[in-house]
Amino acid sequence: MQALTDLTDAELSQLVAENGGKAFQARQASHWLWKHGVQEYAEMRNLPASLRTAIGNRLPLRRTTIAKSELATDGTEKLLIGLHDGEHVECVIIPEGERTTLCISTQVGCPVRCVFCASGMFGVRRNLSVGEIAEQVLHARSRLEAGRRLTNLVVMGMGEPMLNLDALLPALQRIHDGNGLDMGARRITVSTSGYPRQMEQFAAADPSYNLAVSLHAADDTLRKQLVPTAAHPVQEIVLAAHRYFGQKGREVTYEVVLLEGRNDRPQDAITMVEVLGALPCTVNLIPWNPVEEIAAREGLRRPSAQRVDSFADALRRGGLKVTVRRQRGADRSAACGQLRLRQADPANG
Ligand code: SAH
Ligand code: SF4
């Protein structure tokens, strides 16, 4: 079963037509849904009651709810989104000066199973639908203080976006669309753990979104320890990323989650410079947000600020542009996937 939020404009027009409505009424319904964020058909005031009832009998308006929210002292708000089948995903609202960034999920869990990540701990349960992805933006918007709006979107929550492009691309279209949520494509960034074939498919999408690639290590053996299911060599991933750059003119960002003694050693920086040094890109260093269950099991630690600085300096000496991500929402379950982990869910043991 679907919800109204799963439909493309063409599908919505067809549904409205099948129930005796006119084309302009489909546009009105779309406006109520995405611009005004109504939660009930009854709120679509300029549509005839008979049309609202007929459509409502066919499809629910939305199929997700905010199951829980947690506000950190720095203003970061994490929403636990309840899905119709009892599953949960997370999205995070990150206010920063004039900017408000929303981080959304694409899958329930994640099949990639990076050793340091809470989202991948139990593998993947299922893909999110178009509506389940886009509704996260509607929920987040409803939480903003008056006068604030969502300025940026990052697809960096639970799941591997490239493994659910069929739902992600139409959802982003909705989010970008002037009749929808109206967010500029330049303000939308999708992060992947590296799937060259799907990155090519993503490159074919119009408009052009930003791409971030979670590299973590430039050496294949080390990368395989951190991303155990990684099927593609670093060289192939880097090639695909720069082909994206060539096609779209967007600079690629590489993300590196730093783990003490595992991938933050001087040698790791040297290898990274060898692989990326000559390419137009930025490396974003993310000191690991500890996940208790994982820290104990895998013996992982967040590196000290000093170690992070040394790694950053080594990359810069090699000619790379480097940024270091500040920790946000640290007084709560900071890293994505952790709120869901703490949710009473039998599958999470
Ligand atoms: N699956 C995609 C997008 C979701 S993860 C990807 O891996 O890129 C988004 C980013 O959060 C990735 O760079 C990932 O490495 C990082 N991340 C995951 N768990 C983290 C943690 N506990 N601390 C810091 N960063 C983490
Ligand atoms: Fe999946 Fe990304 Fe987490 Fe890796 S870091 S397990 S790819 S969500």
Side-chain angles (χ1 to χ4, degrees), residues 103-107 109-112 114-120 154-162 190-195 212-216 223 227 254-259 284 286-291 294 302 325 327 334-338:
C103 174
I104 59 168
S105 296
T106 52
Q107 296 182 304
C110 182
V112 184
C114 300
V115 289
F116 50 82
C117 175
S119 301
V154 292
V155 186
M156 293 190 184
M158 296 171 60
E160 170 45 54
M162 293 299 135
V190 178
S191 174
T192 177
S193 59
Y195 287 82
V213 177
S214 300
L215 196 64
H216 310 310
R223 189 165 198 271
V227 187
Y254 288 101
E255 292 165 297
V256 176
V257 171
L258 283 178
L259 302 155
N284 186 21
I286 311 169
W288 183 55
N289 267 323
V291 181
I294 297 176
R302 177 187 171 89
R325 189 183 295 174
Q327 193 169 24
C336 226
Q338 290 183 53

Side-chain angles (χ1 to χ4, degrees), residues 209-256:
Y209 306 106
N210 297 310
L211 179 67
V213 177
S214 300
L215 196 64
H216 310 310
D219 169 79
D220 280 312
T221 311
L222 175 56
R223 189 165 198 271
K224 191 88 188 148
Q225 286 167 19
L226 305 176
V227 187
T229 60
H232 303 281
V234 167
Q235 281 298 351
E236 271 181 40
I237 296 171
V238 169
L239 197 68
H242 288 277
R243 215 176 276 143
Y244 191 86
F245 169 76
Q247 270 177 269
K248 303 287 197 180
R250 296 283 162 93
E251 188 163 279
V252 175
T253 301
Y254 288 101
E255 292 165 297
V256 176

Side-chain angles (χ1 to χ4, degrees), residues 63-74:
R63 274 203 308 173
T64 68
T65 54
I66 298 176
K68 193 169 164 181
S69 70
E70 283 193 355
L71 186 62
T73 48
D74 65 3

